[in-house]
Amino acid sequence: MTPDGSDEAVYEDTQAVGTSFATSPLHVASAGRLDLTLTDADFPSRFQSLAMALTHGTTLDGFIFGEGTLTFDAAAEDYAVNVLATPDPALRAGAYGITVSATPEEPPPDDGGGGGNGGGDEGGGGGGAWSPLWLGLLAWRAVLRPSRSSPGCH
């Protein structure tokens, strides 16, 4: 049913059904790539089962079984975070956590350019990746001077 003949729905909702099912609203103000993380808080005990489904309207955007992270491309709209959990039967209670944050950007690929320890066509350096020479010297030093936590050292 639409009031003006458009494709926009007049009503959309996600409902919780069952005693161990909970729904929480998630409002996304601006579009972007987000990480939604579900964590069992182990309080007062671990859940026997834990699952989460992210929906908006009648659309399933993704799910997690157990603990984990769902990465999704969010639109600026309202979502529902639906959690189904089975607590320890003796305790009949449990706690979980939900975190939503921007997905970290992946570092740009290494183009092999300057920098590093004397690396690059431009020479110079400082900072950056360890050169094979430094790695070799560190390994040699470790053989000559083992750490105090190594077996046999007092």
Side-chain angles (χ1 to χ4, degrees):
M1 175 175 155
T2 56
D4 60 3
S6 71
D7 289 335
E8 276 192 49
V10 174
Y11 177 81
E12 286 185 321
D13 196 11
T14 301
Q15 293 291 318
V17 177
T19 56
S20 58
F21 191 101
T23 298
S24 300
L26 171 63
H27 175 73
V28 177
S30 59
R33 194 156 178 81
L34 298 177
D35 287 343
L36 187 151
T37 301
L38 176 65
T39 307
D40 188 332
D42 295 337
F43 179 79
S45 179
R46 286 192 68 76
F47 285 100
Q48 286 186 334
S49 66
L50 181 64
M52 185 278 313
L54 179 68
T55 60
H56 70 277
T58 58
T59 302
L60 174 65
D61 291 291
F63 50 86
I64 299 169
F65 288 101
E67 297 178 302
T69 299
L70 169 67
T71 300
F72 66 105
D73 293 317
E77 60 188 1
D78 292 324
Y79 291 83
V81 179
N82 307 282
V83 177
L84 179 62
T86 305
D88 180 297
L91 298 171
R92 296 186 304 188
Y96 61 84
I98 296 173
T99 305
V100 179
S101 58
T103 303
E105 291 188 25
E106 294 191 25
D110 184 8
D111 63 1
N117 290 317
D121 296 333
E122 293 84 28
W130 289 82
S131 71
L133 174 62
W134 275 112
L135 292 174
L137 288 173
L138 288 173
W140 178 73
R141 181 174 183 244
V143 169
L144 292 178
R145 297 178 59 196
S147 70
R148 293 179 186 206
S149 63
S150 296
C153 293
H154 301 283

